[in-house]
Amino acid sequence: MEFEIAKSTGPVVHTQGVILLPPPHTRLLEAPNRIVSDNEFDDIVRGALSAVGGKLLFKIVIDVDGKPHHAAAASVGEGELRQFLLLTLPVHGGHLQVETTTRSSSPLAGIAASYAGLLDVLKAAA
């Protein structure tokens, strides 16, 4: 993704922390229309998961409304606090979408929890 380079106006301090605001003339340019490789998607997902202590369960390419998307299932937390996430990104670029499986309408939502359960059983048996 390309950005127009501009000098920052500096930090703005709020009670909840520091937020950097770009100058008013900064604009986001359109993302190039290119294929996002499996390795790039893997890097994006692993980066997002490392920020929240998540674990990648599996990743595949799926069809969403006639367009190919990278998809990954992940878990965050342990025991009863564990949640499952679905992460999707159009193969031709766009925004990474992250949703919990409990709020997802994707068929992958049920598979994520089942797959994690299978991994738990296999790990215990090893």
Side-chain angles (χ1 to χ4, degrees):
M1 189 171 278
E2 298 178 18
F3 294 90
E4 184 176 301
I5 304 299
K7 186 177 177 183
S8 174
T9 58
V12 174
V13 179
H14 291 280
T15 57
Q16 295 179 347
V18 175
I19 300 172
L20 293 176
L21 297 176
H25 63 277
T26 301
R27 62 187 174 90
L28 180 63
L29 301 175
E30 288 296 316
N33 189 14
R34 65 175 188 82
I35 302 289
V36 176
S37 73
D38 185 58
N39 287 340
E40 288 173 309
F41 179 66
D42 189 71
D43 289 344
I44 292 167
V45 167
R46 289 184 189 279
L49 293 176
S50 70
V52 295
K55 298 175 187 171
L56 178 65
L57 299 173
F58 63 84
K59 59 187 176 77
I60 60 173
V61 175
I62 60 171
D63 183 275
V64 177
D65 298 327
K67 296 179 182 175
H69 283 65
H70 292 285
S75 67
V76 177
E78 299 291 330
E80 290 183 21
L81 298 176
R82 181 163 67 171
Q83 292 187 36
F84 300 103
L85 305 174
L86 292 179
L87 302 92
T88 56
L89 178 71
V91 168
H92 294 285
H95 297 286
L96 178 68
Q97 179 180 343
V98 180
E99 61 184 341
T100 62
T101 57
T102 56
R103 295 182 181 237
S104 177
S105 60
S106 172
L108 292 178
I111 296 171
S114 297
Y115 189 80
L118 176 63
L119 291 179
D120 291 344
V121 170
L122 292 175
K123 185 177 179 180

